[in-house]
C-alpha cells in the first residue's frame, strides 16, 4: 500500500482486454489491483445488507478485503436527512490489505443526502452512481442543495452515472403483485446487481441468501432476486457503463487454509466458545444489550449445543453480577458491554478482584462520554479499564488489533483469567466489532490448552496437624488462589467484598494484612506471563511508531507507504496493556522518537510516559472514525523530519 488508490478510469492504461472484446461486440474489461466502494443511502435503504452481500461474494471470490460499516445512532433517523445517512465501505484487492481504504473509488448514492454526506471523501476521477429518482426538489432542499448537483457542474471532476434505480426496479418487478412502495424496497438489490456485474462478483451466494432469508415469503424472495438480476442485466446492456473491472483473487496474500469472512464481534464470540471448549467449562454470558456489543449476545445465544448459557439481564449491574456468580459456580464467565456499561459494572469488577475469580469483561469501545456516539468508534476506555474502580484493583487488559484477531484475543483473555484467577478486560471497539476481513479457521490442535484444575480437598495443615481448606492459599508461581466449586464437601469458604485475611479468607481489618493483600494482588497482575513485544525495524530506524488495538491497520499501511518512499521507521504494536510486555522499556529506549497514534487524547501515551519516563509524542483523533493511512503517513513523516 504505497500510494493513494487511483480511480478505475485512471488505471486503464495497459489493463484493457480491449481489442478482442470490441471485435467480439462485448464490453471492455479492465484489470485493477484493488478497489474501494462505498454504498450510501437512507438508513432504510438497506445499505448495510447490500454491503454485506457484496462483501460475502468478494470473500468467496478470494480477494483480501476490509470493511467499514457506518450507520446512524438513531434507530430510524428522519428520512432523507444528513443524520440519517447510512454507509458501507469495502476495500478489496488482489494482495494483502490492512484498512477499509482512505477514499472510495466508487460511491453509490441512493439520495441527495447520501451524495452530500460522502462526496467530500472522493478523489477526483472517482465513479459516482446516483439514484436520480430521489433527486426531487424537496429532497435536495432538505439537505441544502439550491440546485441539482447532477446538473450544476459541481460533479464535473467525477465520472457521474445517473441511474433511475427506483423506477428501473419498479419496472423490473411489475409482474409481481407488489405495491409500488413494496417494489421500491428492492432497489438496493438492483444496485447490488449492477455493482456485481461491474466488478465480476459471483451471484449464486446472494441468490441463495435471498431464498433463505425470505423462505417464508417466496414472492418477496423472487422479487429481490429479480431486482438483483435486473441490475446485473442493466450493467451488461446499458451504454452508460462501457467498462467492467476485474480484481483477481489474492492468491499470494493468504497462507494455505480454509477461510471465511468474519466480523470482529463474530470472531470474538467464536473465540469465547473455543475457550470454553478448550477449558472444558460451560460458558456463561451475563449481558445487557448495548451498541456496539449486542451482536455478541445475539451470536452466543445460538450456541446452546456447545454448553453456552446466555442471560439477558435487566441492566448492566445485574448482567455482571450474574456472570460473577457463574464464575463462583465454576463457569467460564463473560460479560459484554461498552464504555457506559463499564462505568456501571465497576463495583462488581472490584468485587471480582477481591474474590479473585476468573471473569472476562468485554468492552466494545465507542465514542463518549456518557451516551456519546453509540455507533462510532473510539479508544478512550483504556484508563477506565486500568483505573476505573475504587481502591487498588488491578486488572489485566488485552486488546485485539484486527477483526479476525478478536478470536485469538478472546482465547488470550480467557487464558489469563483462568490461569491467574482474575477479571480481565478485553478492549475491542466499534471499528473492529462491525468491520470484517478474511479469517483462516484454525485447526483444533492449534488452540491452546486452557484446562483448569478445581480444588479437590484440604490444602493446608494447621499447627495442631488438622488438614483444612484455605481459599486464599496461593500457587507460588502464579499467585492464583484455588478455585473451589460451591457445594464441594470440606471446601466451604466465605466470599464477600470486605478484605480477606491472607490464606484463610476470613474477614480482616488488620492494617498489615490489608497492605499485604493489596501488594499481593498487584504482584499477581505484574507477574502475568505475556509475550515480548515484537518490533518491525528492517533498517535500524531512529523513530518508532507504537500502537494498540484497532490502529494496527492504519499504522501498518502508513508505515508501508513511508518505507516505499524511502523512509526509515520502526513499528511495534501492543496486545497486552496491563501488564506491559517485559521488554517494552528496553525497546522504547532504543529510539530517539516514539510516536503513539490513538483514537483518544493520549491515554496509552500517558501510561508510557509515566512508567518508562519516555517523551512519547501523541497523535490523536477523536472524530468517531478510524485513522486514514495517508493521514498517519503524513504525521509520521513530520515526526521523522522534525
Amino acid at each position: 500500500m504505497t500510494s493513494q488508490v487511483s480511480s478505475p478510469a485512471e488505471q486503464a492504461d495497459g489493463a484493457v482486454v480491449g481489442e478482442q472484446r470490441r471485435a467480439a461486440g462485448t464490453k471492455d474489461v479492465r484489470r485493477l489491483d484493488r478497489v474501494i466502494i462505498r454504498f450510501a443511502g437512507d438508513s432504510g435503504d438497506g445499505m448495510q445488507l447490500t454491503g454485506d452481500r457484496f462483501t460475502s461474494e468478494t470473500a468467496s471470490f478470494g480477494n483480501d478485503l476490509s470493511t467499514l460499516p457506518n450507520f446512524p445512532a438513531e434507530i430510524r433517523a428522519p428520512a432523507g436527512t444528513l443524520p440519517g445517512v447510512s454507509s458501507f465501505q469495502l476495500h478489496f484487492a488482489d494482495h494483502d490489505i490492512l484498512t477499509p481504504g482512505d477514499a472510495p473509488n466508487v460511491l453509490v448514492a441512493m439520495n441527495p443526502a447520501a451524495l452530500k454526506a460522502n462526496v467530500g471523501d472522493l478523489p477526483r476521477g472517482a465513479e459516482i452512481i446516483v439514484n436520480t429518482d430521489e433527486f426531487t426538489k424537496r429532497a435536495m432542499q432538505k439537505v441544502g442543495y439550491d440546485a441539482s448537483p447532477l446538473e450544476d457542474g459541481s460533479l464535473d471532476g467525477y465520472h457521474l452515472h445517473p441511474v433511475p434505480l427506483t423506477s428501473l426496479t419498479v419496472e423490473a418487478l411489475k409482474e409481481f403483485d407488489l405495491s409500488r412502495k413494496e417494489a421500491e424496497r428492492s432497489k438496493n438489490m438492483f444496485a447490488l446487481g449492477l455493482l456485481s456485474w461491474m466488478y465480476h462478483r459471483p451471484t449464486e451466494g446472494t441468490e441463495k441468501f435471498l431464498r433463505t432469508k425470505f423462505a417464508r415469503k417466496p414472492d418477496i424472495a423472487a422479487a429481490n432476486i429479480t431486482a438483483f438480476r435486473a441490475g446485473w442485466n442493466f450493467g451488461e446492456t446499458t451504454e452508460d457503463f462501457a467498462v467492467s473491472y476485474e480484481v483477481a483473487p489474492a492468491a499470494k496474500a493468504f497462507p494455505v487454509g480454509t477461510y471465511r469472512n468474519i466480523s470482529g464481534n463474530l470472531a470474538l464470540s467464536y473465540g469465547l466458545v473455543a475457550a470454553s471448549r478448550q477449558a472444558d467449562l460451560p460458558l456463561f454470558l451475563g449481558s445487557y444489550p448495548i451498541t456496539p456489543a449486542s451482536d455478541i449476545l445475539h451470536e452466543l445465544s445460538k450456541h446452546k449445543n456447545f454448553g453456552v448459557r446466555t442471560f439477558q439481564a435487566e441492566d448492566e449491574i445485574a448482567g455482571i453480577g450474574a456472570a460473577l456468580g457463574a464464575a463462583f459456580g465454576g463457569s467460564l464467565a463473560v460479560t459484554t458491554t461498552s464504555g457506559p456499561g463499564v462505568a456501571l459494572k465497576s463495583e462488581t469488577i472490584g468485587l471480582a478482584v477481591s474474590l479473585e475469580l476468573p471473569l472476562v469483561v468485554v468492552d466494545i469501545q465507542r465514542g463518549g462520554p456518557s451516551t456519546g456516539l453509540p455507533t462510532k468508534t473510539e479508544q478512550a476506555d483504556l484508563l477506565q479499564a486500568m483505573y476505573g474502580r475504587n481502591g487498588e484493583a488491578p486488572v489485566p487488559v488485552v486488546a485485539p488489533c484486527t477483526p479476525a484477531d478478536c478470536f485469538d484475543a478472546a482465547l488470550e483473555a480467557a487464558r489469563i483469567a483462568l490461569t491467574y484467577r482474575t477479571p480481565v478486560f478485553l478492549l475491542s471497539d466499534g471499528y473492529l466489532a462491525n468491520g470484517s476481513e478474511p479469517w483462516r479457521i484454525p485447526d483444533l490442535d492449534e488452540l491452546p490448552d486452557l484446562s483448569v484444575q478445581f480444588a479437590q480437598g484440604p490444602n493446608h495443615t494447621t499447627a495442631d496437624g488438622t488438614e483444612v481448606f484455605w481459599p486464599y492459599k496461593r500457587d507460588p508461581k502464579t499467585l492464583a488462589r484455588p478455585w473451589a466449586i460451591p457445594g464441594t464437601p470440606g471446601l466451604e469458604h466465605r466470599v464477600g467484598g470486605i478484605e480477606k485475611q491472607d490464606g484463610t479468607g476470613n474477614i480482616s481489618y488488620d492494617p498489615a494484612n490489608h497492605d499485604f493483600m493489596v501488594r499481593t494482588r498487584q504482584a499477581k497482575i505484574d507477574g502475568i506471563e505475556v509475550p515480548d513485544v515484537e518490533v518491525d525495524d528492517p533498517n535500524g530506524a531512529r523513530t518508532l511508531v507504537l500502537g494498540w488495538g484497532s490502529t494496527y491497520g492504519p499504522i501498518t499501511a502508513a508505515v508501508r507507504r513511508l518505507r516505499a518512499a524511502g523512509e526509515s521507521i520502526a513499528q511495534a504494536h501492543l496486545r497486552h496493556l496491563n501488564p506491559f510486555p517485559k521488554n517494552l522499556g528496553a525497546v522504547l529506549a532504543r529510539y530517539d522518537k516514539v510516536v503513539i497514534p490513538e483514537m483518544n487524547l493520549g491515554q496509552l501515551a500517558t501510561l508510557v510516559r509515566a512508567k518508562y519516563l519516555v517523551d512519547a509524542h501523541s497523535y490523536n483523533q477523536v472524530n468517531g472514525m478510524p485513522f486514514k493511512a495517508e493521514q498517519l503517513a503524513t504525521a509520521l513523516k513530520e515526526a521523522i523530519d522534525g
Side-chain angles (χ1 to χ4, degrees):
M1 198 175 285
T2 59
S3 64
Q4 178 65 46
V5 181
S6 57
S7 74
E10 294 169 329
Q11 296 188 32
D13 292 344
V16 182
V17 187
E19 298 302 328
Q20 298 166 337
R21 290 188 175 268
R22 276 192 289 272
T26 59
K27 295 185 178 183
D28 289 340
V29 177
R30 298 178 184 175
R31 295 193 182 94
L32 308 176
D33 62 350
R34 59 197 178 111
V35 174
I36 303 169
I37 296 175
R38 183 181 295 176
F39 298 93
D42 191 69
S43 56
D45 284 338
M47 294 296 93
Q48 302 304 319
L49 175 62
T50 305
D52 182 68
R53 290 314 313 158
F54 195 94
T55 299
S56 295
E57 298 296 4
T58 297
S60 68
F61 188 71
N63 296 118
D64 195 10
L65 62 88
S66 180
T67 68
L68 178 62
N70 187 15
F71 34 83
E74 291 81 4
I75 293 175
R76 188 66 173 93
T81 64
L82 292 174
V85 173
S86 174
S87 68
F88 188 104
Q89 183 163 308
L90 166 67
H91 182 190
F92 61 102
D94 65 2
H95 58 278
D96 174 37
I97 59 173
L98 297 156
T99 74
D102 288 358
N105 308 117
V106 182
L107 171 66
V108 180
M110 303 297 280
N111 61 20
L115 177 65
K116 187 162 190 177
N118 292 282
V119 70
D121 293 336
L122 303 180
R124 290 294 174 175
E127 310 257 2
I128 303 178
I129 300 171
V130 295
N131 179 15
T132 55
D133 289 327
E134 297 298 321
F135 278 72
T136 63
K137 184 176 181 180
R138 183 172 180 272
M140 289 187 290
Q141 288 178 341
K142 190 180 291 188
V143 295
Y145 281 129
D146 296 326
S148 172
L150 310 183
E151 301 171 356
D152 65 4
S154 60
L155 301 178
D156 286 349
Y158 308 99
H159 295 276
L160 181 65
H161 301 280
V163 180
L165 289 171
T166 305
S167 55
L168 286 172
T169 302
V170 172
E171 177 65 21
L173 301 184
K174 63 183 180 181
E175 64 184 90
F176 294 89
D177 186 21
L178 299 173
S179 67
R180 181 179 177 86
K181 186 175 182 180
E182 290 172 328
E184 288 179 357
R185 289 174 182 163
S186 297
K187 63 181 181 290
N188 63 325
M189 288 297 104
F190 189 100
L192 178 60
L194 172 57
L195 269 293
S196 297
W197 169 83
M198 193 171 175
Y199 289 98
H200 294 248
R201 299 296 91 185
T203 60
E204 296 81 2
T206 294
E207 293 192 7
K208 181 179 179 181
F209 167 83
L210 292 170
R211 291 189 186 96
T212 302
K213 180 177 177 63
F214 298 108
R216 296 184 180 180
K217 299 179 179 179
D219 290 345
I220 299 297
N224 277 281
I225 291 171
T226 299
F228 176 67
R229 291 175 177 174
W232 177 283
N233 293 332
F234 178 79
E236 182 70 31
T237 57
T238 183
E239 297 194 4
D240 191 39
F241 293 90
V243 178
S244 64
Y245 305 94
E246 286 183 348
V247 180
K252 297 181 180 180
F254 305 118
V256 176
T258 302
Y259 287 81
R260 60 156 295 166
N261 184 52
I262 200 165
S263 68
N265 273 351
L266 183 57
L268 202 154
S269 301
Y270 286 174
L272 293 172
V273 175
S276 75
R277 294 299 82 211
Q278 293 302 106
D280 196 24
L281 297 174
L283 177 64
F284 181 91
L285 174 67
S287 182
Y288 180 75
I290 184 172
T291 301
S294 300
D295 285 343
I296 301 171
L297 171 61
H298 300 160
E299 182 61 34
L300 289 180
S301 68
K302 303 174 184 177
H303 297 290
K304 296 180 178 66
N305 56 313
F306 287 114
V308 179
R309 301 172 188 172
T310 54
F311 171 58
Q312 181 174 321
E314 64 270 29
D315 55 41
E316 295 280 6
I317 298 171
I320 191 173
L324 185 57
F328 181 58
S331 293
L332 174 57
V334 182
T335 189
T336 53
T337 189
S338 189
V342 172
L344 292 168
K345 295 177 189 290
S346 62
E347 183 179 8
T348 307
I349 296 171
L351 176 59
V353 171
S354 177
L355 297 183
E356 301 188 44
L357 286 170
L359 174 67
V360 177
V361 181
V362 177
D363 177 6
I364 312 296
Q365 300 167 96
R366 72 190 204 189
S370 188
T371 311
L373 307 173
T375 61
K376 309 302 179 183
T377 194
E378 205 163 274
Q379 286 184 298
D381 293 349
L382 176 56
L383 293 183
Q384 180 178 219
M386 288 285 291
Y387 302 119
R389 294 161 295 283
N390 67 297
E392 296 287 345
V395 173
V397 181
V398 175
C401 63
T402 69
D405 187 50
C406 290
F407 177 87
D408 295 315
L411 285 164
E412 176 65 356
R415 177 191 74 85
I416 294 173
L418 295 172
T419 302
Y420 296 90
R421 309 286 196 268
T422 177
V424 177
F425 262 102
L426 199 167
L427 291 184
S428 179
D429 61 41
Y431 170 37
L432 296 182
N434 297 315
S436 65
E437 66 177 351
W439 171 59
R440 187 181 69 83
I441 301 172
D443 295 329
L444 289 178
D445 58 9
E446 298 177 49
L447 301 179
D449 179 7
L450 302 179
S451 55
V452 174
Q453 183 65 48
F454 290 113
Q456 301 297 319
N459 61 358
H460 182 76
T461 303
T462 62
D464 63 3
T466 304
E467 292 188 340
V468 296
F469 174 67
W470 274 15
Y472 281 82
K473 185 169 185 175
R474 302 178 184 279
D475 181 295
K477 181 179 179 182
T478 65
L479 298 183
R481 77 175 187 89
W483 195 0
I485 301 300
T488 306
L491 303 188
E492 298 85 359
H493 59 284
R494 178 179 286 124
V495 294
I498 296 177
E499 184 63 282
K500 316 295 185 298
Q501 185 182 61
D502 178 42
T504 68
N506 295 331
I507 292 174
S508 174
Y509 296 99
D510 178 65
N513 178 79
H514 177 60
D515 183 273
F516 178 81
M517 293 294 279
V518 166
R519 295 179 186 275
T520 299
R521 287 188 288 261
Q522 183 65 58
K524 180 170 70 170
I525 303 306
D526 293 341
I528 292 174
E529 292 186 3
V530 303
D532 283 348
V533 63
E534 297 182 358
V535 183
D536 176 18
D537 185 4
N539 300 312
R542 297 174 55 197
T543 300
L544 171 73
V545 54
L546 179 68
W548 71 278
S550 66
T551 57
Y552 173 79
I555 289 174
T556 306
V559 166
R560 288 182 181 180
R561 293 186 183 199
L562 289 171
R563 289 177 180 169
E567 300 291 342
S568 181
I569 187 168
Q571 178 186 1
H573 207 79
L574 294 174
R575 163 173 282 180
H576 298 90
L577 298 154
N578 193 32
F580 285 132
K582 289 182 172 55
N583 70 329
L584 180 57
V587 166
L588 297 173
R590 297 206 303 260
Y591 295 92
D592 296 339
K593 296 178 183 176
V594 177
V595 182
I596 304 179
E598 299 180 77
M599 292 187 294
N600 56 48
L601 294 183
Q603 297 188 13
L604 175 60
T606 296
L607 296 175
V608 166
R609 289 173 187 145
K611 185 172 180 64
Y612 300 107
L613 302 181
V614 170
D615 186 20
H617 300 271
S618 284
Y619 183 74
N620 309 117
Q621 173 177 296
V622 281
N623 61 7
M625 297 294 289
F627 284 111
K628 293 182 178 180
E630 185 64 30
Q631 164 195 2
L632 278 181
T634 300
L636 295 176
K637 179 66 167 62
E638 292 174 355
I640 293 171
D641 295 340

